[in-house]
Amino acid sequence: MYVGRFVVVAPGIGAYRVSSRSFPNREVVDRDGMLTVAPTEDAEPTDNPYVSYNCVRAVETPTGHRRAVVGNGSHVDPIAEKLEAGYPERDALATPLLALDYEKDDYDTPRIAGVVAPESAVIGTVRRDALCVEAVSEPTMVATYEIDSPEPRDLEATNAPDAAREVLEAEFEHPVCAAAATVSEDAVAVAFENGE
């Protein structure tokens, strides 16, 4: 089954995978702890604004708490900025999703994202017909296609490298690359896996 891009979050851990039929020549690159989806060197040039974006960002709130944001597009940055400004996780997630809305491409692609804290997580999506933001206590997934509402999903990994590998190897079609983060009271650890 092809579900497109997807996010899985749970308290303390979050992961994101790029699955793509249209733009498979992409990889995750580490830019000083911020993970970015970018075209590979051999990728065809494109002016598509949805091909390259930050997909994982570590955040420190004004009160010194650590958070990670995972997501499928340009909304990751304003979500992180809202957290840095002191917004509660739910509001930091909902506000940019609502403001930016679904992607205005040929498929009306939903925007998906999650915010991970050491003891909590929030997942959200904005589609053509709905905005859905939920606090979750167990691993939960949302994807751009087919699974476009949050639903339970197994995630056995307990660290960022294993989480990135686990979502990259998940059974869904057309895997490209993946990124993940774990969040503790003291730190956010990030990792990524690029397909062959």
Side-chain angles (χ1 to χ4, degrees):
M1 175 169 51
Y2 181 66
V3 299
R5 275 77 56 218
F6 67 88
V7 167
V8 180
V9 299
I13 194 165
Y16 170 67
R17 183 175 107 175
V18 176
S19 308
S20 182
R21 296 179 287 215
S22 305
F23 297 100
N25 296 334
R26 288 186 280 174
E27 62 187 354
V28 176
V29 295
D30 187 338
R31 298 182 343 170
D32 296 323
M34 181 169 28
L35 302 183
T36 302
V37 174
T40 59
E41 287 185 17
D42 61 345
E44 293 288 326
T46 181
D47 60 358
N48 186 317
Y50 305 120
V51 169
S52 184
Y53 49 87
N54 295 325
C55 64
V56 174
R57 278 192 56 178
V59 175
E60 185 172 335
T61 69
T63 56
H65 294 102
R66 311 267 186 235
R67 303 290 182 262
V69 180
V70 297
N72 75 321
S74 61
H75 53 286
V76 168
D77 293 328
I79 292 168
E81 291 160 8
K82 297 290 184 197
L83 291 167
E84 290 169 340
Y87 279 58
E89 288 87 356
R90 181 187 64 100
D91 297 348
L93 187 58
T95 303
L97 287 177
L98 185 60
L100 292 170
D101 211 1
Y102 61 93
E103 295 178 0
K104 305 307 188 283
D105 60 8
D106 292 340
Y107 308 102
D108 294 338
T109 302
R111 291 182 189 268
I112 56 174
V115 175
V116 178
E119 302 297 328
S120 63
V122 180
I123 195 167
T125 183
V126 62
R127 339 182 276 257
R128 184 181 183 92
D129 65 341
L131 169 68
C132 179
V133 177
E134 293 182 15
V136 299
S137 58
E138 299 294 329
T140 302
M141 173 182 170
V142 68
T144 54
Y145 311 117
E146 302 295 330
I147 305 171
D148 65 358
S149 293
E151 65 178 48
R153 169 75 188 180
D154 289 337
L155 182 66
E156 300 195 8
T158 58
N159 61 58
D162 288 349
R165 191 171 313 106
E166 185 175 337
V167 297
L168 185 63
E169 294 172 356
E171 72 275 11
F172 303 112
E173 296 174 358
H174 303 286
V176 174
C177 53
T182 53
V183 183
S184 68
E185 294 295 337
D186 301 323
V188 175
V190 299
F192 62 92
E193 285 282 332
N194 289 317
E196 294 183 28

